[in-house]
Amino acid sequence: MAYLEIRNLKKQFGNTRVLHGIDFSMEKGEVVAVIGSSGGGKTTFLRCLNFLEMANEGTIDFADGFRFDAAKTYKSKEIREMRLKMGLVFQSFNLFPQYTALENVYIPLFLRSKERIKASLPFGKERRAAIKAAGDGDMQRAEALLQEVGLADKMGNYPCQLSGGQQQRVAIARALAQDPAVLCFDEPTSALDPELTGEVLRVISELKNKGRTMLVVTHEMEFARNVADRVIFFADGLIEEEGTPEQIFCSPKSPKTASFLKH
Amino acid sequence: MNFWDISVKLLDGFGITCLLFILTLVFSLPLGLIISFGSMSKFKPLSWLCRTVVWIIRGTPLMLQLFVVFYVPGMLFGVRLFTGDDGRFLAALVAFVINYACYFSEIFRGGIESIPKGQYEAAQVLGMTARETFFTVIMMQVVKRILAPISNEVITLVKDTSLARVIAVGEIFFVNEMDFLSRGLVWPLFYIAVFFLVFVGVLTLLFGWCEKKLSYYKV
């Protein structure tokens, strides 16, 4: 069984059908680039995978045996648990402006640790001690993650004091904190000045070398060609073509792919 | 009537003014937040109800509301809810709280709705609950955004407290009316103005300080 397996995923908004039945699977450690023109459904696909939108039809199977089935209804607690299996880095970073870089990574992580401890221990001294220990551990993890993305010296800075590239790297550390099975990127460099895209793409490449499973919606064709193991081309709500970067970029089979890549 | 006597009386009335001001804030701010959640609710009857209440309260004079709260329970149901000086004060407080909660609720709603969707989505993908999202992510950003309109409203409240006089609450105007009406003294009026100016001046400094405290980040 694949690490992540999506079958017949469909999504529509009102009468507008955006995803027409996506079949897609990923292996552990694989980096898949998603390309295609705007309005093709790439972003909606990512949002469905992160349960920001609920798919209307289809299933998503995770490696841990969990299956999301669009036909079922889920409680909000279950949806939150499902969301944690996936990570998402946004085009516009969406850091929390009132918190420092370190707090941005630490706070969401600690909230979940706290919830887990509260569910397992009764109110009392033991629980307080466990929460404190978890807080210390989470703080160390947050620091380590920011070091990993090269921001050891910016931990105390607020997002407004960081460049776009640095903000996006904080966002990557924040998404990594809860160790998602698949880390998704929604055009992570589209909001950046050209000279800042490099540092973000470099971090993504480093994560690939560490074995992270990643799904990257991108307009950076160079990146898709050089870093991705596999490229999928989205057109009109369907996966029009998929293959290795060489297949897609050098000898695309579909005329739609060829015409997209020509521009 | 010398300066000293009038000062004592003014301070006495000023105490009531301050108490009315502080208690109104203490109750109307949380109530305003609840009403703003109500009017943003996806449950249509609730949001419709909240918006109608806000419309009525904002659409009628505060003075009228003071009369209604104080007199109508007795006139319609024969119960005298508010008796004595404390009762008058309580009636004024109830009217002020309802009135200001409605104004605050609209400021809160504007502030909450101005927070970009991305903030909610970022919190969601990190597994936060709706409550955590509001209290750890959204609230402080809202506070920063609404500080200026809130300070406007709070300063208006300082001066609106003088309306409590219409149901004979012994605030600063009521207790000094005799002096300038029957004794023909003009200067107590200016004296009262100084009290208000100082009060509002202190509040302005306080809000300025809060704004400065929150200027460490941009939203």
Side-chain angles (χ1 to χ4, degrees):
Chain A
M1 225 208 59
Y3 189 61
L4 178 74
E5 185 143 350
I6 294 147
R7 283 213 195 89
N8 193 32
L9 201 72
K10 288 185 185 171
K11 176 70 190 174
Q12 59 185 58
F13 297 103
N15 289 323
T16 316
R17 290 168 65 193
V18 182
L19 299 178
H20 295 258
I22 305 290
D23 291 295
F24 172 73
S25 68
M26 275 180 95
E27 295 304 326
K28 192 171 167 54
E30 199 179 20
V31 176
V32 177
V34 182
I35 60 171
S37 43
S38 307
K42 306 175 307 256
T43 294
T44 304
F45 177 57
L46 276 201
R47 291 172 62 85
C48 285
L49 290 186
N50 282 277
F51 308 101
L52 286 176
E53 307 288 353
M54 291 315 236
N56 300 113
E57 253 182 74
T59 59
I60 304 173
D61 282 286
F62 292 90
D64 61 5
F66 180 84
R67 160 174 279 201
F68 165 80
D69 187 341
K72 291 184 188 157
T73 49
Y74 293 88
K75 293 197 201 89
S76 65
K77 188 172 193 314
E78 291 170 315
I79 294 172
R80 287 198 297 113
E81 275 166 18
M82 279 153 31
R83 283 192 182 127
L84 287 179
K85 295 174 188 295
M86 307 292 284
L88 180 60
V89 174
F90 297 87
Q91 180 177 353
S92 49
F93 331 132
N94 294 341
L95 293 180
F96 305 137
Q98 72 270 43
Y99 295 124
T100 62
L102 184 62
E103 286 165 338
N104 261 280
V105 182
Y106 164 77
I107 290 173
L109 182 60
F110 178 56
L111 284 174
R112 297 283 64 78
S113 303
K114 211 156 77 176
E115 187 187 29
R116 275 191 291 273
I117 292 167
K118 280 186 174 169
S120 64
L121 286 174
F123 183 79
K125 219 175 180 178
E126 203 184 340
R127 185 203 266 186
R128 275 199 301 279
I131 288 175
K132 188 166 184 315
D136 294 343
D138 289 343
M139 185 61 86
Q140 279 170 10
R141 176 160 174 78
E143 285 168 358
L145 282 162
L146 283 172
Q147 265 162 20
E148 204 178 320
V149 297
L151 291 172
D153 54 339
K154 300 284 183 195
M155 289 188 196
N157 289 42
Y158 289 93
C160 63
Q161 301 166 324
L162 299 173
S163 73
Q166 290 167 337
Q167 288 188 52
Q168 192 60 301
R169 284 187 281 154
V170 175
I172 292 172
R174 184 175 71 171
L176 279 173
Q178 312 200 39
D179 201 21
V182 180
L183 185 56
C184 304
F185 294 81
D186 187 10
E187 300 184 18
T189 58
S190 294
L192 296 177
D193 293 336
E195 73 267 24
L196 299 175
T197 57
E199 58 187 89
V200 172
L201 296 179
R202 208 156 36 245
V203 167
I204 300 175
S205 312
E206 282 166 21
L207 291 174
K208 174 193 158 94
N209 296 337
K210 286 173 190 155
R212 279 271 160 205
T213 314
M214 293 184 284
L215 186 59
V216 188
V217 170
T218 184
H219 289 306
E220 297 281 334
M221 294 305 150
E222 275 308 298
F223 171 79
R225 190 194 287 257
N226 296 329
V227 178
D229 300 307
R230 188 152 55 100
V231 177
I232 62 178
F233 174 70
F234 254 75
D236 307 320
L238 279 172
I239 296 180
E240 178 74 16
E241 187 168 354
E242 65 177 301
T244 63
E246 294 83 63
Q247 282 168 351
I248 298 286
F249 288 107
C250 304
S251 49
K253 290 190 197 75
S254 152
K256 278 186 193 168
T257 318
S259 117
F260 172 77
L261 289 172
K262 225 182 279 166
H263 296 300
Chain B
M1 256 340 212
N2 58 26
F3 184 77
W4 173 251
D5 290 335
I6 289 184
S7 294
V8 170
K9 263 166 86 179
L10 269 178
L11 280 173
D12 198 32
F14 189 64
I16 300 284
T17 296
C18 280
L19 195 63
L20 189 57
F21 169 78
I22 290 167
L23 289 178
T24 300
L25 279 189
V26 165
F27 293 110
S28 64
L29 285 168
L31 183 62
L33 190 61
I34 293 168
I35 297 174
S36 75
F37 283 140
S39 45
M40 288 185 292
S41 167
K42 288 196 185 91
F43 182 58
K44 284 290 161 215
L46 179 63
S47 89
W48 183 82
L49 177 75
C50 287
R51 282 171 195 233
T52 307
V53 169
V54 170
W55 171 62
I56 291 170
I57 297 296
R58 291 202 306 176
T60 55
L62 177 53
M63 196 189 285
L64 181 72
Q65 292 161 15
L66 278 162
F67 282 133
V68 168
V69 170
F70 186 56
Y71 292 114
V72 166
M75 280 156 40
L76 282 189
F77 310 106
V79 279
R80 295 206 54 186
L81 280 180
F82 306 108
T83 52
D85 279 353
D86 289 348
R88 287 167 186 282
F89 181 81
L90 195 62
L93 181 63
V94 168
F96 276 107
V97 167
I98 294 173
N99 184 275
Y100 272 81
C102 287
Y103 279 96
F104 285 141
S105 81
E106 285 299 281
I107 296 177
F108 290 147
R109 190 170 67 85
I112 291 170
E113 287 179 349
S114 76
I115 303 298
K117 222 173 82 208
Q119 292 288 310
Y120 290 94
E121 291 182 346
Q124 279 174 346
V125 295
L126 293 161
M128 288 191 199
T129 63
R131 176 188 292 254
E132 287 167 352
T133 305
F134 184 77
F135 286 107
T136 54
V137 176
I138 304 299
M139 198 169 75
M140 282 312 285
Q141 296 182 45
V142 172
V143 168
K144 187 177 162 93
R145 281 179 192 223
I146 66 175
L147 210 55
I150 288 283
S151 76
N152 241 347
E153 213 53 51
V154 168
I155 285 170
T156 307
L157 172 61
V158 175
K159 292 167 294 174
D160 273 358
T161 51
S162 53
L163 278 176
R165 186 235 155 277
V166 301
I167 54 169
V169 173
E171 48 70 58
I172 197 164
F173 263 89
F174 188 74
V175 296
N176 286 278
E177 222 167 43
M178 281 302 129
D179 297 323
F180 54 83
L181 281 185
S182 56
R183 293 196 181 83
L185 294 175
V186 174
W187 62 267
L189 280 180
F190 290 96
Y191 201 177
I192 291 172
V194 169
F195 268 92
F196 279 105
L197 278 173
V198 170
F199 196 172
V200 170
V202 169
L203 284 175
T204 307
L205 289 176
L206 191 70
F207 275 106
W209 179 80
C210 290
E211 236 166 88
K212 214 170 174 182
K213 274 273 150 191
L214 288 174
S215 66
Y216 68 89
Y217 68 90
K218 293 194 189 78
V219 286

